[in-house]
């Protein structure tokens, strides 16, 4: 597993990015709003290359789908 970077929230013009490394350890990184694509929003999976931050649309969609399934299971827990 490589690093997983997720845009957690905006604090004014600062992005707070949750970074989970190969050892499954999490730390936080901050970036100026201008360093991220204009379309970046909370919950997006981000990648970083020599050209800066990019939104990984495929990974973001997969992550959102996984979270929606997990939430649906939790809502149905205990219901016959």
């Amino acid at each position: 597993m490589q690093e997983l970077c997720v845009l957690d929230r905006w604090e004014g013009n600062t992005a707070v990015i949750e970074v989970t490394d190969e050892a499954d350890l999490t730390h936080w990184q901050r970036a100026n709003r201008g360093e991220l694509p204009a379309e970046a929003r909370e919950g997006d999976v981000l990648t970083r290359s020599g050209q800066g931050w990019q939104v990984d649309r495929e990974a973001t969609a997969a992550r959102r789908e996984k979270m929606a399934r997990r939430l649906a299971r939790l809502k149905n827990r205990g219901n016959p």
Side-chain angles (χ1 to χ4, degrees), residues 5-76:
C5 303
V6 178
L7 177 54
D8 183 65
R9 66 187 179 277
W10 294 102
E11 292 180 351
N13 284 326
T14 302
V16 179
I17 302 166
E18 178 182 354
V19 181
T20 305
D21 65 17
E22 295 85 3
D24 207 26
L25 299 174
T26 300
H27 66 275
W28 303 93
Q29 182 172 342
R30 297 181 182 278
N32 292 325
R33 185 178 290 269
E35 295 177 47
L36 274 69
E39 73 272 9
R41 60 188 184 124
E42 293 174 354
D44 282 348
V45 176
L46 304 171
T47 58
R48 190 166 191 176
S49 68
Q51 295 145 355
W53 293 99
Q54 294 87 36
V55 174
D56 184 333
R57 295 184 199 290
E58 188 175 305
T60 296
R63 187 170 186 276
R64 288 185 196 281
E65 184 178 312
K66 179 180 177 183
M67 294 297 120
R69 285 193 313 266
R70 185 176 288 170
L71 182 59
R73 272 197 321 269
L74 287 172
K75 285 182 177 180
N76 290 325

